[in-house]
Amino acid sequence: MIVELKALCKDYEQGGLPVPVLRDVNMQVEQGEYIAIMGPSGSGKTTLMNVLGYLDVPTSGVYLFDGVDNSAATDEEMAKIRNEGIGFVFQTFHLLQRQRAWENVALPLSFRGISRKDRREMAAEALERVGLLDRLDFYPAQLSGGQCQRVAIARAICTAPKLLLADEPTGALDSKSGLQIMEIFDSLHDEGATIVMITHEMGVARRAGRVMHIRDGMLTDGAFSAHTAGGDIK
């Protein structure tokens, strides 16, 4: 089991009063699963993603990552967990504009003391997996939106994370580019990656093996899978 949430809650303070965002969330993600989470704006899905990625901490409840409760971890220890165990793909790519494609991909590796030569080789391998080996030395401004997202995916997978988190990975792309990105996620899943993806697009969600819905901070399982509902992105 890669992820296990037990009665997890998250509150934020507003005007001195607690505002519940996540309510009694229970969730299990097994190794190799591909899960999509859908929900309207303000439902708590981004907060849930932040908690899963150790970018935020729950107010109460239990979060086990790869069987370990890291609730007492320091900021430094959580940063290490993020770097070694979790890959992130965001809607807006979050690439450094003054860094080449391979340098953006290799950024997580730089915190591990890996030599520049080895970082470039590992980044090249990741870029080859997403079909961008020929853009190794391109800057983000020289790439299309879809290519930038592929660089972001390469960055997320170059560390061989145990969990891949994707927050609306096709949200800023046209239909054709979005389809290419989803085909990459399909391929990664086929290779054994564990993926949790937030999306508002039904066609994207249908490509996952399991769909969950979040509303008013409460998470429930969906009623269809990719095997029964088709997989077109639109």
Side-chain angles (χ1 to χ4, degrees), residues 97 99-101 135-145 147-148:
Q97 295 300 309
Q99 300 291 313
R100 296 176 177 87
R135 299 293 191 269
L136 194 73
D137 289 309
F138 282 48
Y139 290 93
Q142 297 173 297
L143 302 173
S144 68
Q147 289 172 333
C148 284

Side-chain angles (χ1 to χ4, degrees), residues 37 39 45 49 89-92 149 166-172 197-201:
I37 299 175
K45 58 184 185 293
M49 186 69 78
V89 179
F90 301 97
Q91 177 177 339
T92 52
Q149 190 61 293
D167 190 356
E168 299 281 8
T170 63
M197 178 183 296
I198 284 178
T199 181
H200 68 276
E201 298 181 69

Side-chain angles (χ1 to χ4, degrees), residues 101-106 109 112 114 116-137 150-160 184 187-188 191:
W102 81 263
E103 291 170 322
N104 271 284
V105 172
L109 301 172
R112 300 188 181 186
I114 298 173
R116 180 180 175 85
K117 177 178 179 293
D118 289 343
R119 292 201 306 270
R120 184 181 171 92
E121 290 179 358
M122 295 170 71
E125 290 176 3
L127 283 167
E128 186 173 22
R129 290 176 68 185
V130 299
L132 281 184
L133 184 58
D134 61 339
R135 299 293 191 269
L136 194 73
D137 289 309
R150 282 194 268 169
V151 172
I153 294 172
R155 179 183 58 197
I157 63 175
C158 74
T159 58
I184 291 173
S187 178
L188 292 173
E191 294 170 9

